[in-house]
Amino acid sequence: SNAEVEDNMYASRLEQIDEQLEEVTASLESRRDRAEELEGALEEARHAQADAREATDTARAALKDLRARESDARNKLSEVRSELSSQKKLDARMADSSPLVSRLVGALGDDVTGRLGDVLEAPRELEGLVEQLLAGDIDALLFDDTSALERAGRAALDQKKASGEALLVARGVSGSTAAEGAAGTRLVDHLSVRAGYGPVVEALLGGYYVVDDLAAALSAPVVDGVTYVTPDGARVACGGLVRVGLDAGEASGALERKRRIRELEGLEPDLAAVFEHVSGQVVEANAAVEEARAAESDAAGEIARLEGERRSLLSEIGRLEQSANNAEVERVRISKRREQASEAVRAARPRVDERSEER
């Protein structure tokens, strides 16, 4: 009958709706599980981004500090190198103040092994005294042996037009010995002399003995070949020949200058090493900053990816929920219409039976 056909139609549609609801419900469950996973992943990504941002800030602060230290090291190294260069130029200019000495150094080359002022050091309190005693001889030219000394002497004598004078000394020169009965201490015992040059210094300064003051010098025993000197510049010979003052002429300040050069030469490699080390740390810190920035960028990219997927997923969940709601509404509507149709069939059944009987 038509009623049965209509009922079957409703039943088939309800079955389709149930299948659709089952599929939508399964999809919703899967999407909601994935949404929950995304929330956890987003939380981890945000923590990773915060950690990366903190690491970047820490790396930047370390880099800033290291750059300041690098700048300080560079400035100190530059200052030392600049002063060292200036001191060496001044020392060379003062050492060659005698035209004769300057020409000999240029002509003799490697025969000259050094200058007297470069092979001895005096205590600071005696620098002025030693400079005064040596005067121009502080730049005496040194030679390894008498053959080199002889060549130098001949070359010097050939320099007829060069003014000034030069002291030429061989390392094998005979140094003086300690004088018996002299007061005080030998000046040479207060000096630091490069190995091999002791006899040279003794030959020039071996006759000087250091006493405390002028009174001690005047009361000291007279010893042949001995001159008593005091730290403040008095020189006493023969028990009453006194010379005072520390004017060393062009040699004034030479030992102090050479001492400063040695100090700077000792500082320069240490400061260079510090600068090189800090510069290496700056390179490493730069790399650390870049690495932290990359990690922060990766974390931001991951967050953007996850949020994009999450937005898409929530939109899909909303669509599926709407689809499920529509199917549920349709299911209720179809079920109601099927029930109404069944009631109509039941209500019409008596009339159908009467007509059948009448026939």
Side-chain angles (χ1 to χ4, degrees):
S1 67
N2 291 334
E4 290 176 343
V5 170
E6 186 178 13
D7 185 68
N8 289 336
M9 181 186 68
Y10 287 139
S12 177
R13 180 55 185 154
L14 285 173
E15 186 178 349
Q16 290 176 353
I17 292 174
D18 287 340
E19 290 177 356
Q20 181 183 353
L21 276 172
E22 186 177 351
E23 292 176 0
V24 169
T25 301
S27 294
L28 271 174
E29 185 177 351
S30 173
R31 300 300 187 276
R32 284 167 178 162
D33 288 344
R34 177 56 183 162
E36 187 175 346
E37 291 176 3
L38 286 175
E39 287 295 340
L42 273 169
E43 186 68 19
E44 291 180 4
R46 291 187 183 108
H47 282 305
Q49 184 184 44
D51 291 343
R53 186 176 293 119
E54 183 179 354
T56 300
D57 292 341
T58 301
R60 282 175 175 166
L63 178 59
K64 181 179 179 181
D65 177 66
L66 284 169
R67 279 178 173 162
R69 289 169 56 192
E70 181 186 34
S71 177
D72 183 59
R74 181 188 294 108
N75 291 337
K76 287 181 179 179
L77 180 59
S78 178
E79 289 172 3
V80 165
R81 284 176 171 170
S82 176
E83 184 183 355
L84 180 59
S85 176
S86 298
Q87 291 283 7
K88 282 185 173 182
K89 288 178 181 178
L90 176 60
D91 193 56
R93 186 169 65 250
M94 297 302 296
D96 290 340
S97 58
S98 166
L100 177 59
V101 171
S102 180
R103 288 194 180 186
L104 286 175
V105 171
L108 296 172
D110 292 339
D111 275 352
V112 179
T113 59
R115 303 198 186 219
L116 180 61
D118 295 324
V119 301
L120 66 86
E121 297 179 43
R124 293 191 181 192
E125 64 274 12
L126 295 179
E127 284 178 346
L129 174 63
V130 174
E131 289 170 356
Q132 195 282 331
L133 295 174
L134 290 173
D137 290 344
I138 200 166
D139 290 316
L141 302 181
L142 306 177
F143 302 88
D144 278 339
D145 50 47
T146 54
S147 61
L149 179 64
E150 183 180 354
R151 287 194 298 273
R154 286 199 303 268
L157 293 173
D158 289 340
Q159 298 290 333
K160 303 297 185 181
K161 295 182 180 180
S163 61
E165 64 176 15
L167 176 63
L168 313 176
V169 188
R171 291 177 64 177
V173 67
S174 297
S176 62
T177 57
E180 293 185 7
T185 57
R186 296 180 80 197
L187 175 61
V188 294
D189 292 337
H190 292 269
L191 307 179
S192 297
V193 182
R194 189 184 300 172
Y197 290 95
V200 174
V201 176
E202 287 186 352
L204 293 170
L205 298 174
Y208 294 99
Y209 282 71
V210 181
V211 294
D212 292 336
D213 50 35
L214 180 59
L218 289 171
S219 62
V222 177
V223 178
D224 188 35
V226 170
T227 297
Y228 295 106
V229 295
T230 65
D232 57 1
R235 283 88 68 202
V236 177
C238 303
L241 185 61
V242 179
R243 188 184 299 274
V244 295
L246 289 176
D247 183 9
E250 292 182 349
S252 181
L255 291 180
E256 179 184 359
R257 183 168 58 250
K258 292 178 185 298
R259 170 169 48 80
R260 182 56 179 164
I261 287 173
R262 287 190 294 270
E263 290 173 353
L264 293 171
E265 287 176 335
L267 283 173
E268 196 272 343
D270 291 340
L271 291 176
V274 169
F275 174 66
E276 183 178 354
H277 177 67
V278 176
S279 294
Q281 289 182 313
V282 168
V283 172
E284 293 176 358
N286 263 318
V289 169
E290 292 305 316
E291 183 179 349
R293 283 175 176 170
E296 188 175 352
S297 177
D298 289 345
E302 179 67 3
I303 289 173
R305 186 190 69 78
L306 291 171
E307 286 182 338
E309 183 181 353
R310 179 173 172 274
R311 285 193 298 271
S312 176
L313 192 63
L314 290 178
S315 175
E316 187 176 357
I317 288 174
R319 182 182 61 79
L320 288 171
E321 287 176 340
Q322 184 62 44
S323 178
N325 184 64
N326 291 341
E328 190 65 41
V329 169
E330 185 180 4
R331 185 176 186 282
V332 170
R333 181 173 58 81
I334 295 298
S335 295
K336 186 174 182 181
R337 288 179 62 180
R338 184 186 185 192
E339 181 63 29
Q340 288 174 346
S342 296
E343 288 178 358
V345 169
R346 285 194 296 273
R349 179 70 61 184
R351 292 194 298 272
V352 172
D353 292 341
E354 288 177 0
R355 288 176 182 176
S356 297
E357 291 174 358
E358 289 175 354
R359 290 176 185 171

